[in-house]
Amino acid sequence: VAGKQVSRIDGQRFDQFTRTDFGLPPNNNTRVYLCMQKPFKFHPEFDELLCGIMSKDMHGWIVLHRETNPANQNMFEHRLKDAGCDMTRIAFLDQQSHHRLLALYRVSTVILDSYPAGGDTTTREVLEMGKALVTLPARLLGGRWSLGYMSTIGLKESTKKSIDCE
């Protein structure tokens, strides 16, 4: 049927989901910054980036992947608090099925590439959906996939050179 968005992985529709289906504010004035990479990919420098986004966008929400190990999740949350993040505007979501992950991309304002280990499949999916993606390339190959994709298609303006949120 024309207009329906379907995951090629699990064959399920994802165009019917809204922000509220993920426990996020429905308000279109609220910008959602999503990074559903596994938390082990996040370096403490990434915490600084997240907190910087929140301090510059008082209506922004950060959505992150919840760590499956409660002790690791607790440590991650403490790191974010220590970095100065407003924890009332951070949502942690469990791993999502593919169609729900695509729906999250669709309802988010900006997709953030993890740092220093960047995305590959995530980057391709996000770019295929025409969503905004911001990346900070790392020194090693694992953190440069998004830069490669974006350079190839002429979108280097979404590539940051420093952790500063400007």
Side-chain angles (χ1 to χ4, degrees), residues 11-25:
Q12 300 292 310
R13 284 184 52 200
F14 62 91
D15 55 345
Q16 75 277 20
F17 292 99
T18 66
R19 288 180 175 181
T20 56
D21 291 312
F22 300 100
L24 302 173

Side-chain angles (χ1 to χ4, degrees), residues 110-123:
V110 176
I111 314 305
L112 301 172
D113 197 15
S114 55
Y115 180 85
D120 183 12
T121 302
T122 298
T123 300

Side-chain angles (χ1 to χ4, degrees), residues 48-80:
E48 182 181 331
L49 175 68
L50 296 175
C51 296
I53 290 169
M54 296 181 87
S55 71
K56 292 183 184 334
D57 185 354
M58 298 311 291
H59 299 287
W61 273 63
I62 303 286
V63 179
L64 301 170
H65 192 294
R66 182 186 320 278
E67 173 63 59
T68 55
N69 178 304
N72 290 345
Q73 177 67 23
N74 189 38
M75 185 171 32
F76 185 38
E77 288 182 29
H78 280 298
R79 260 183 32 202
L80 292 171

Side-chain angles (χ1 to χ4, degrees), residues 19 27-33 57-62 109:
R19 288 180 175 181
N27 186 338
N28 285 338
N29 293 328
T30 301
R31 284 166 293 283
V32 173
Y33 300 87
D57 185 354
M58 298 311 291
H59 299 287
W61 273 63
I62 303 286
T109 311

Side-chain angles (χ1 to χ4, degrees), residues 27-47:
N27 186 338
N28 285 338
N29 293 328
T30 301
R31 284 166 293 283
V32 173
Y33 300 87
L34 175 72
C35 187
M36 285 298 287
Q37 296 291 335
K38 303 278 186 184
F40 73 83
K41 289 186 171 187
F42 301 156
H43 188 276
E45 288 180 23
F46 189 69
D47 304 351

Side-chain angles (χ1 to χ4, degrees), residues 110-114 118-128 130-137 143-161:
V110 176
I111 314 305
L112 301 172
D113 197 15
S114 55
D120 183 12
T121 302
T122 298
T123 300
R124 183 188 47 76
E125 289 173 341
V126 168
L127 293 173
E128 285 175 358
K131 297 300 292 188
L133 174 76
V134 176
T135 186
L136 174 64
R144 300 184 69 79
W145 291 112
S146 296
L147 171 65
Y149 279 123
M150 294 169 78
S151 295
T152 299
I153 62 174
L155 290 176
K156 278 185 80 169
E157 66 273 3
S158 293
T159 301
K160 299 300 174 195
K161 292 181 173 53

